């Protein structure tokens, strides 16, 4: 996209920098210019000057300066093109683009108009929620109980969605307006296409919840997060994806925290709305939160528009560690030599709010200062489960750390880490670099082996891999197949039927039983899907390696597991009934429905619930062991394909073989090595 220079000059000449800056900074006339407190650094006396004659701003304190476009880029974190479009829109100008067709230009203009309309609708709803809060003593008591002052509630625009099913009908006279559904404020249920638009049932998405407006960097309301007043589920509910709102790109509190990033010197990324609000109340206004999703590269990129230092704050439990691991993946591409990325792990019993209240703001600030640097956390994550006293363990770490190190941008930090990694795995840095540079990636599955590879002696498995490859001394693959679920053979572990209607606090809600029918037996991914959907708590207990393996599955299985992971981050552990509602309309919903379609269940014998949970977990562990074995074997195939080109390929192959043999020992010990 190329914007003509002549248009940019015309736009700067037409724009009033005093008006643009004045929307964000309180300015007072001082001679020929206007003065105010600089929005780019903390100060008590005004040193920020805006010149109407020169159409220029300058701070005599920190030295920042520029025109109207530059101000939007610096203060609102916009890119150049975005700032030009935003400024042009404020003055009713159409941005000419040399390499854009008229049709594309018209489509872009229509999209911008739709976005503006949706934000207007959301702003109107936000005003209504704020008014409703004044007449909601229960919501006010909840906020007071969390230590939220009226000033902070006003700063963040907190409101309340009344308990009625159609409370917004009093705000929007045309309750059937499609914009209400498109903005995510209203749910339209047409009973899976059985009803016409006129007959469809419409009701408010947010009911009896404290409401947190989600704003973009320009301060426009683009969505909401709602928190229940009690312990109902889901605890938090976000707006759905819309033309103006994407959870994977937006950060709660970013608009409010921008100036504080500069004052404090860093951005603090937390896990929830209340963390952000409470931290602002307690002296840390530089906090933001992801919106129920893992931290993405888009989140990190957006933060680095405003600051060069980011601290991720997580609970110290296993779930917090997993969330940190995903944040690491998102942060690595932006770990340059001039940026600081750290990971803060609070004690398991605390979140940021409770820690500050228990130990004070100074103690929390000290905790932040001692947070784990990205380099150390990356090495800790890579060596997890690796015995560095053995060659196999060091080779395993080498395999784990390579994609993490490779994701980093070139620079001194990356080179220093190469030396540290080489020392840990007892290789010369040059040899390690050469190993990674010459390793030729092969196909992920079914890679061909060289002619000297052992002869196959069994049929390929459900992934197209031959279980006999490179393991001529092991029994045929059928001896290791996990239980199949067709009528003709009875699995060693026959799951029982369970009582419906119980929440997942450690009890089954939906039955887990063998799938029946004349079709082909379910694949291992099918079984994994069914077991995890039946008890979502099992997903939370899996390792990061298994999460990655399942989310990387091809087609609908991988997409379903990726969605399930996002649901856990957003809503916590949910029963199948709630997951089924969330799946409506998604491409992989039929797969989930098919796998979860089972007959009515009988009651669980009193006192045996824990046993059934343990048996289901054992079955899932068995299935995942076989899937992990397939994954490791595919990596072995890649190593074999590199023999002759990569001098370390054989060593890598042997390390993978050691892992597979260890895995096979576990499979044998679990008693699932025979059908």
């Amino acid at each position: 996209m190329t914007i003509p220079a002549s248009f940019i000059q015309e736009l700067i000449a037409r724009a009033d920098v005093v008006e643009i800056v004045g929307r964000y900074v309180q300015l007072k006339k001082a001679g020929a210019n206007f003065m105010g407190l600089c929005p780019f650094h903390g100060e008590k006396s005004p040193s920020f000057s805006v010149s109407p004659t020169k159409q220029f701003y300058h701070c005599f304190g920190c030295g920042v300066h520029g025109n109207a476009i530059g101000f939007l880029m610096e203060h609102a974190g916009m890119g150049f093109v975005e700032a030009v479009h935003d400024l042009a829109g404020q003055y009713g100008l159409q941005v000419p683009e040399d390499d854009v067709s008229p049709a594309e230009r018209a489509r872009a203009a229509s999209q911008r108009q739709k976005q503006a309309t949706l934000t207007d609708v959301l702003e109107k709803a936000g005003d209504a929620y704020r008014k409703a809060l004044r007449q909601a003593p229960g919501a006010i008591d909840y906020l007071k109980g969390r230590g939220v002052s009226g000033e902070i509630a006003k700063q963040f625009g907190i409101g309340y969605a009344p308990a009625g099913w159609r409370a917004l009908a009093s705000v929007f006279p045309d309750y059937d307006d499609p914009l209400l559904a498109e903005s995510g404020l209203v749910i339209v249920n047409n009973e899976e296409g059985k009803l016409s638009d006129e007959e469809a049932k419409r009701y408010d998405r947010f009911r009896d919840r404290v409401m947190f407006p989600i704003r973009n960097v320009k301060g426009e309301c683009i969505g909401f997060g709602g928190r229940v007043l009690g312990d109902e589920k889901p605890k938090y509910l976000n707006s759905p994806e819309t033309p103006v709102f994407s959870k994977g790109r937006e950060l709660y509190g970013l608009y409010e925290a921008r100036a504080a990033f500069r004052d404090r010197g860093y951005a603090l990324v937390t896990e929830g709305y209340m963390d952000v609000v409470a931290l602002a109340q307690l002296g840390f206004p530089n906090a933001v939160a992801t919106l129920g999703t893992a931290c993405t590269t888009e989140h990190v990129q957006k933060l680095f528009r405003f600051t060069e230092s980011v601290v991720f704050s997580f609970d110290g439990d296993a779930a917090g560690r997993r969330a940190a691991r995903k944040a690491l993946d998102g942060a690595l591409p932006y770990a340059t030599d001039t940026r600081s990325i750290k990971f803060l792990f609070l004690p398991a019993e605390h979140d940021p709010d409770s820690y500050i209240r228990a130990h004070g703001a100074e103690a929390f600030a000290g905790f932040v200062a001692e947070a784990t640097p990205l380099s150390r956390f990356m090495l800790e994550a890579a060596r997890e489960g690796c015995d560095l006293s053995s060659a196999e363990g060091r080779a395993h770490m080498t395999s784990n750390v390579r994609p993490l190190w490779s994701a980093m941008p070139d620079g001194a930090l990356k080179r220093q880490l190469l030396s540290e990694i080489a020392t840990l795995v007892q290789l010369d840095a040059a040899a390690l670099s050469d190993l990674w540079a010459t390793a030729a990636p092969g196909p992920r599955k079914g890679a061909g082996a060289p002619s000297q590879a052992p002869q196959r002696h069994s049929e390929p498995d459900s992934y197209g891999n031959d279980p006999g490859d490179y393991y001529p001394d092991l029994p045929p693959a059928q001896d290791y197949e996990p239980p199949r679920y067709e009528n003709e053979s009875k699995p060693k572990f026959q799951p029982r039927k369970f009582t419906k209607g119980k929440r997942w606090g450690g009890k089954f809600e939906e039955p887990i039983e063998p799938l029946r029918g004349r079709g082909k037996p379910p694949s291992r991914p099918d079984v994994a899907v069914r077991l995890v959907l039946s008890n979502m708590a099992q997903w939370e207990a899996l390792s990061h390696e298994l999460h990655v393996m399942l989310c990387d599955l091809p087609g609908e299985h991988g997409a379903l597991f990726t969605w399930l992971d996002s649901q856990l981050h957003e809503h916590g552990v949910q029963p199948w009934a709630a997951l089924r509602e969330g799946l409506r309309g998604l491409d992989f919903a039929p797969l989930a429905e098919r796998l979860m379609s089972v007959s009515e269940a009988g009651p669980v014998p009193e006192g045996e619930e824990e046993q059934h949970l343990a048996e289901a977990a054992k079955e899932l562990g068995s299935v995942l062991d076989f899937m992990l074995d397939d994954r490791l074997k595919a990596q072995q195939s890649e190593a074999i394909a590199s023999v002759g080109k990569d001098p370390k390929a054989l060593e890598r192959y042997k390390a993978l073989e050691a892992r597979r043999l260890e895995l096979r020992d576990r499979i044998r010990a679990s008693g699932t090595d025979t059908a």
Side-chain angles (χ1 to χ4, degrees):
M1 178 188 300
T2 303
I3 301 175
S6 57
F7 175 80
I8 295 172
Q9 294 300 324
E10 178 189 353
L11 179 62
I12 292 173
R14 183 173 298 195
D16 182 357
V17 72
V18 176
E19 179 187 358
I20 299 301
V21 174
R23 294 175 185 175
Y24 304 91
V25 180
Q26 186 174 354
L27 298 174
K28 291 184 179 180
K29 194 79 165 61
N33 299 327
F34 289 80
M35 298 292 294
L37 296 176
C38 179
F40 302 108
H41 80 285
E43 61 178 10
K44 295 182 179 180
S45 57
S47 61
F48 186 76
S49 173
V50 184
S51 170
T53 55
K54 299 178 181 178
Q55 286 298 301
F56 202 77
Y57 66 87
H58 177 80
C59 177
F60 295 97
C62 65
V64 67
H65 60 275
N67 55 27
I69 295 175
F71 183 83
L72 291 176
M73 292 174 66
E74 288 292 325
H75 189 262
M78 300 181 189
F80 175 76
V81 174
E82 185 183 4
V84 169
H85 276 283
D86 184 86
L87 192 61
Q90 295 182 43
Y91 289 92
L93 299 177
Q94 178 68 45
V95 180
E97 295 159 355
D98 290 345
D99 53 353
V100 176
S101 68
E104 290 174 330
R105 192 175 297 119
R107 187 162 51 248
S110 175
Q111 182 180 10
R112 285 193 293 272
Q113 180 59 44
K114 169 61 72 66
Q115 291 173 339
T117 305
L118 288 175
T119 55
D120 288 343
V121 169
L122 292 162
E123 290 283 3
K124 188 174 181 180
D127 289 340
Y129 291 144
R130 283 186 283 277
K131 290 177 182 177
L133 178 62
R134 299 170 194 162
Q135 286 81 43
I140 293 174
D141 288 344
Y142 169 79
L143 291 171
K144 286 182 177 179
R146 296 296 299 266
V148 178
S149 68
E151 181 182 353
I152 289 295
K154 181 179 180 181
Q155 177 185 342
F156 285 89
I158 298 174
Y160 171 71
W165 286 90
R166 295 166 66 96
L168 286 178
S170 63
V171 181
F172 299 94
D174 184 8
Y175 194 71
D176 293 339
D177 188 342
L179 286 172
L180 295 181
E182 193 169 357
S183 65
L185 292 170
V186 168
I187 293 174
V188 179
N189 184 359
N190 68 352
E191 296 185 6
E192 300 182 355
K194 297 178 182 177
L195 302 176
S196 66
D197 289 342
E198 292 75 20
E199 298 171 321
K201 301 174 184 176
R202 289 175 168 81
Y203 53 92
D204 293 358
R205 180 179 300 274
F206 301 100
R207 304 177 303 279
D208 194 21
R209 289 175 180 267
V210 174
M211 299 297 289
F212 300 86
I214 302 167
R215 295 162 171 161
N216 61 17
V217 291
K218 294 185 287 184
E220 300 168 333
C221 182
I222 56 175
F224 291 95
R227 205 254 188 231
V228 295
L229 302 180
D231 295 324
E232 296 83 7
K233 301 294 182 181
K235 182 184 294 185
Y236 286 98
L237 181 65
N238 287 326
S239 290
E241 300 282 314
T242 71
V244 296
F245 176 58
S246 172
K247 289 181 288 188
R249 290 196 295 268
E250 302 298 338
L251 290 158
Y252 177 72
L254 180 62
Y255 174 72
E256 293 81 2
R258 295 166 305 157
F261 291 166
R262 298 183 176 92
D263 294 342
R264 292 293 179 128
Y266 67 95
L268 181 63
V269 184
T270 63
E271 296 188 86
Y273 305 108
M274 283 306 305
D275 284 335
V276 172
V277 174
L279 284 168
Q281 176 83 51
L282 297 170
F284 291 85
N286 54 323
V288 296
T290 54
L291 299 167
T293 64
C295 189
T296 66
T297 54
E298 288 86 353
H299 288 142
V300 179
Q301 182 184 34
K302 183 166 286 190
L303 286 169
F304 279 127
R305 292 181 183 178
F306 298 95
T307 181
E308 292 297 296
S309 181
V310 175
V311 177
F312 293 99
S313 174
F314 298 99
D315 296 342
D317 57 13
R321 285 273 169 180
R322 284 195 296 273
R325 180 63 178 77
K326 291 172 182 177
L328 174 66
D329 291 337
L332 283 169
Y334 299 97
T336 65
D337 297 343
T338 59
R339 290 171 176 163
S340 170
I341 302 172
K342 294 183 177 181
F343 295 83
L344 170 66
F345 296 99
L346 292 168
E349 67 274 14
H350 281 297
D351 58 24
D353 179 14
S354 66
Y355 187 90
I356 293 177
R357 293 185 189 280
H359 301 284
E362 188 174 342
F364 183 75
F367 217 74
V368 170
E370 297 173 2
T372 304
L374 173 140
S375 57
R376 193 193 314 160
F377 182 56
M378 186 185 91
L379 295 179
E380 289 175 359
R383 68 185 296 173
E384 185 177 356
C386 302
D387 178 11
L388 298 190
S389 65
S390 68
E392 291 82 0
R394 293 191 293 274
H396 185 188
M397 179 183 172
T398 304
S399 176
N400 289 346
V401 78
R402 179 186 177 188
L404 303 178
W405 182 84
S406 298
M408 298 178 66
D410 289 333
L413 176 61
K414 186 174 184 179
R415 294 188 183 187
Q416 289 180 74
L417 275 173
L418 180 68
S419 297
E420 287 193 39
I421 295 166
T423 300
L424 285 170
V425 300
Q426 297 184 18
L427 286 174
D428 180 79
L432 180 61
S433 178
D434 182 62
L435 168 65
W436 285 346
T438 57
R444 289 175 64 95
K445 295 175 182 175
S451 57
Q452 66 268 30
Q455 285 288 89
R456 298 183 176 186
H457 59 260
S458 59
E459 292 299 316
D461 63 16
S462 58
Y463 292 99
N465 295 318
D466 188 337
D469 282 354
Y470 319 118
Y471 278 88
D473 57 325
L474 292 178
Q478 57 265 28
D479 291 344
Y480 295 92
E481 284 295 316
R484 289 297 195 174
Y485 293 88
E486 66 270 35
N487 287 327
E488 290 72 24
S489 63
K490 185 176 181 180
K492 185 166 186 176
F493 163 60
Q494 179 78 26
R496 296 189 178 182
K497 301 176 180 179
F498 303 100
T499 301
K500 287 188 176 182
K502 296 182 180 178
R503 297 182 66 86
W504 271 111
K507 299 183 183 293
F508 282 101
E509 182 197 52
E510 291 287 339
I512 302 179
E513 65 173 13
L515 298 179
R516 304 294 182 182
R518 293 190 175 185
K520 63 180 181 179
S523 65
R524 290 167 185 161
D526 285 346
V527 177
V529 165
R530 181 171 58 83
L531 290 168
V532 173
L533 289 179
S534 298
N535 181 1
M536 190 179 179
Q538 293 192 100
W539 177 262
E540 191 173 22
L542 299 181
S543 68
H544 178 74
E545 180 180 32
L546 293 176
H547 280 174
V548 171
M549 177 185 75
L550 293 171
C551 291
D552 280 351
L553 289 173
E556 293 179 337
H557 291 90
L560 195 157
F561 279 119
T562 300
W563 175 83
L564 189 71
D565 189 54
S566 70
Q567 289 297 295
L568 181 67
H569 278 277
E570 184 170 351
H571 302 304
V573 174
Q574 302 173 74
W576 162 239
L579 293 172
R580 180 165 47 198
E581 290 301 313
L583 282 163
R584 290 185 184 277
L586 300 179
D587 292 343
F588 40 82
L591 170 68
E593 289 281 1
R594 173 173 64 81
L595 296 175
M596 294 296 290
S597 296
V598 293
S599 61
E600 289 298 319
V604 181
E606 187 68 27
E608 293 189 16
E609 296 92 339
E610 294 298 326
Q611 176 188 345
H612 291 308
L613 285 169
E615 288 175 342
K618 179 181 177 182
E619 185 185 11
L620 178 62
S622 172
V623 170
L624 295 181
D625 277 347
F626 282 99
M627 294 175 67
L628 181 58
D629 184 60
D630 286 334
R631 185 179 178 91
L632 294 175
K633 185 160 68 65
Q635 294 173 2
Q636 276 190 308
S637 297
E638 295 178 5
I640 288 294
S642 300
V643 171
K645 297 176 288 185
D646 178 3
K648 299 292 184 179
L650 191 57
E651 180 181 343
R652 190 163 63 253
Y653 167 81
K654 290 179 178 179
L656 289 167
E657 183 175 0
R659 284 200 69 197
R660 290 191 66 199
L661 288 172
E662 180 183 347
L663 192 58
R664 291 290 184 176
D665 287 341
R666 188 164 76 222
I667 292 171
R668 290 191 185 95
S670 69
T672 56
D673 59 343
T674 57

